[in-house]
Amino acid sequence: MEKTLNIVADIGNSRIKLLFENEYIAIENSLNWKSTINQILREVNKQVKFCYSSVNTSIEVELLNIISNYQNVEILNANYLLSQQKIIDTSSVTGMGSDRILGLIRAISLNGYPVITIDLGTAVTINYADNGKCIGGAIFPGAETQKNSLINISEKLNIDKFDFSNTFYGNSTEQAINSGIFLSVIGGIEKSLEMAKTKFGENFLKNIYITGGTSPLFLKFIENKYTINYVPNLVLEGILELLKNYNI
């Protein structure tokens, strides 16, 4: 067989994200993701190292059951690599998810410290690191989570898609929901960065990296005020960075 193929995966609350041979695939957990995984693995005619990070235990178990049927695939949990890594000290932060650490590791590899990562997914996570250590961060509901929560309150509250053309107010319930979600996410991010600047100084904001499924919706609004680096696959590239670092 040919050289080993690295497939890295980020198993999230709403999607499974895959990166291999510079190809990125995102599969909604609510859709028929199993057939997509099987199709990908059936078409690979070489040894595969499948390294994954997960915050969704039920999907993780199902995915690993599928992969176990392929003899040419070796499974590696990114948590093992994280337990060995010396890139960043996270000992002062408790309960930190692997996706947050992996995003920081990739961001650090790009331009060093200090570093801030902003991941706009099911939740918005803002993470700070400097001088080799993770300082901590903030977590609040993401745009989709806010939308779904409002819809669950009442069937009369509905929104088909995000429309941030009018970001200050809405003259219909749907537009008002759009505006509220926009203001919540943008306001939370900008306030966090403003407070970081006050506490740590302006230089602390020199390396800001944004990622996550809804980040393209908000990026242009944050870029008006801060210098932002958009890295769509920050977490997945963090796994690749660890694989390279440990030559695994």
Side-chain angles (χ1 to χ4, degrees), residues 29-47:
N29 292 348
S30 59
L31 300 178
N32 189 16
W33 59 269
K34 296 179 183 180
S35 62
T36 303
I37 297 294
N38 274 309
Q39 181 180 347
I40 291 170
L41 295 177
R42 279 196 300 265
E43 292 177 357
V44 177
N45 186 29
K46 60 176 72 174
Q47 285 296 123

Side-chain angles (χ1 to χ4, degrees), residues 180-194:
I181 291 173
F182 170 82
L183 291 170
S184 172
V185 173
I186 290 292
I189 292 171
E190 290 190 347
K191 188 63 177 178
S192 295
L193 296 177
E194 177 188 317

